[in-house]
Amino acid sequence: MGKLLIVGTVAFDAIETPFGKTDKILGGAATYIALAASQFEVDSAIVSIVGDDLPQEYLDLLTDRDIDISALEIVKGGKTFYWKGKYHNDLNTRDTLVTELNTLEDFNPVVPQDYNDADVVMLGNLHPIVQLGVINQMKKRPKLIILDTMNFWMDNALEDLMEVIKHIDVLTINDEEARQLTGEYSLVRAAQKIFTMGPKFVVIKKGEHGALLFNESQIFFAPALPLEEVFDPTGAGDTFAGGFAGYLAASNDSSFENMKKAVIHGSNLASFSVEKFGAERMLKLDRKEIRERLHQFKKLTQFDIELQ
């Protein structure tokens, strides 16, 4: 069984979409990544920080899925990271209403000894210095280091971000962020420029329009499954990353051909996460549903054509 180390936020989210709104519920990049990865035969652990205001039932939801939380620091008297956002009618744009870093402001990650030899490290969206601090604690070079980031760090910590990008194997970002990072409108050219920064693979997420996987001389496109209902897109990108990383850790194969399968698995799991608020759908997901939807993906992308 492969080892997967997950670094990111465990948080409170309050979400409003055209279909309703929630009070504080379980969220955070590490939460979504870990829940998605738990669908594979993988030994995973979260490195994160919360306050003692996080309910025990939320911690139990993670441990019930065999996710190691021994490196989830709980600060006595502290408050958990909190984000509140409101989505527009198209669900592709949103307004951040509240961001409270709380305990995350002084987060100094400590990699547990049992996971400093992890096969795959999934660096969820955090300050690049925190991400680099995790890489530096690894006892040996992981087989695969995957980094997720966002435009906020490009605006506010670009130098630190460029440093951590030098040390990774896979960068996952959305199309807008790829263009901002590289100054290239063409996503093919953007990926080529990112290769010069360090990564061997680039995954560019395009939301409801699927995802692109780039290697230096190869490109693969995975569509998003057309859904009857999209309820809440929060965490979809992290769920994709968790499925992607979880499959790669479980299969112990980082070839381009296997990464194509990982992209499909990530897209498949992300298609579930948007069907309910927050992590609710991921918490009720079973493997039979996952298999059935994978068949839908296969039918969506498979065809026969005669080539002259």
Side-chain angles (χ1 to χ4, degrees):
M1 186 182 293
K3 278 188 181 180
L4 171 64
L5 182 69
I6 300 162
V7 185
T9 54
V10 175
F12 286 126
D13 287 342
I15 304 160
E16 183 175 350
T17 78
F19 309 108
K21 60 182 179 179
T22 71
D23 292 322
K24 287 184 177 180
I25 58 174
L26 177 63
T31 301
Y32 287 106
I33 292 168
L35 290 174
S38 71
Q39 297 295 338
F40 304 94
E41 297 298 324
V42 64
D43 184 2
S44 63
I46 287 176
V47 177
S48 191
I49 189 169
V50 296
D52 60 5
D53 57 343
L54 193 78
Q56 181 62 42
E57 65 180 284
Y58 286 174
L59 300 176
D60 293 342
L61 289 173
L62 299 173
T63 55
D64 287 349
R65 286 156 181 79
D66 296 321
I67 299 163
D68 189 319
I69 61 169
S70 60
L72 177 59
E73 182 182 354
I74 301 174
V75 179
K76 189 174 182 181
K79 289 186 175 181
T80 300
F81 175 76
Y82 171 53
W83 176 83
K84 182 177 182 179
K86 180 178 181 179
Y87 287 88
H88 297 187
N89 286 336
D90 64 1
L91 292 178
N92 289 319
T93 53
R94 70 186 184 191
D95 298 322
T96 293
L97 305 178
V98 179
T99 300
E100 296 176 3
L101 292 177
N102 297 326
T103 53
L104 192 64
E105 195 165 5
D106 300 312
F107 181 37
N108 184 23
V110 178
V111 175
Q113 191 170 351
D114 289 346
Y115 286 86
N116 63 13
D117 61 348
D119 303 293
V120 177
V121 174
M122 178 68 232
L123 299 170
N125 178 34
L126 278 174
H127 196 294
I129 289 178
V130 174
Q131 295 172 324
L132 190 59
V134 170
I135 293 173
N136 290 337
Q137 291 180 56
M138 302 305 292
K139 184 171 67 176
K140 64 176 183 177
R141 180 68 163 78
K143 294 176 182 175
L144 209 59
I145 301 176
I146 307 166
L147 173 75
D148 189 46
T149 191
M150 66 182 299
N151 49 10
F152 179 84
W153 304 118
M154 298 173 199
D155 292 334
N156 297 284
L158 182 59
E159 188 175 336
D160 295 324
L161 178 59
M162 295 302 290
E163 180 60 32
V164 73
I165 286 176
K166 293 178 185 176
H167 300 274
I168 66 169
D169 302 294
V170 186
L171 178 65
T172 70
I173 50 177
N174 69 30
D175 48 355
E176 176 190 348
E177 293 156 352
R179 291 178 172 123
Q180 178 176 343
L181 182 63
T182 63
E184 297 284 355
Y185 182 80
S186 162
L187 295 180
V188 175
R189 287 185 178 178
Q192 290 170 345
K193 188 169 282 190
I194 291 169
F195 293 140
T196 68
M197 301 173 186
K200 303 177 186 70
F201 302 91
V202 178
V203 178
I204 299 180
K205 298 171 287 186
K206 293 170 60 64
E208 63 181 320
H209 303 296
L212 287 158
L213 169 67
F214 295 88
N215 187 216
E216 285 191 359
S217 59
Q218 298 168 294
I219 303 175
F220 173 70
F221 172 71
L225 191 71
L227 299 172
E228 289 184 19
E229 188 172 67
V230 177
F231 206 75
D232 170 26
T234 308
D238 295 314
T239 301
F240 171 90
F244 180 79
Y247 178 80
L248 291 172
S251 58
N252 192 30
D253 179 356
S254 57
S255 66
F256 186 80
E257 286 303 310
N258 201 51
M259 280 201 187
K260 287 160 65 172
K261 297 176 185 176
V263 168
I264 294 294
H265 279 285
S267 298
N268 188 43
L269 289 169
S271 75
F272 287 104
S273 73
V274 301
E275 293 181 336
K276 297 288 183 182
F277 272 122
E280 180 183 351
R281 186 67 175 93
M282 298 304 295
L283 291 166
K284 295 179 179 178
L285 192 56
D286 64 54
R287 296 191 180 184
K288 181 182 177 183
E289 291 178 291
I290 294 171
R291 285 194 301 272
E292 289 173 351
R293 192 162 288 185
L294 277 173
H295 283 294
Q296 289 181 260
F297 262 99
K298 188 173 182 180
K299 290 178 181 177
L300 184 69
T301 57
Q302 195 172 47
F303 60 90
D304 293 316
I305 186 169
E306 288 187 20
L307 299 176
Q308 299 297 328

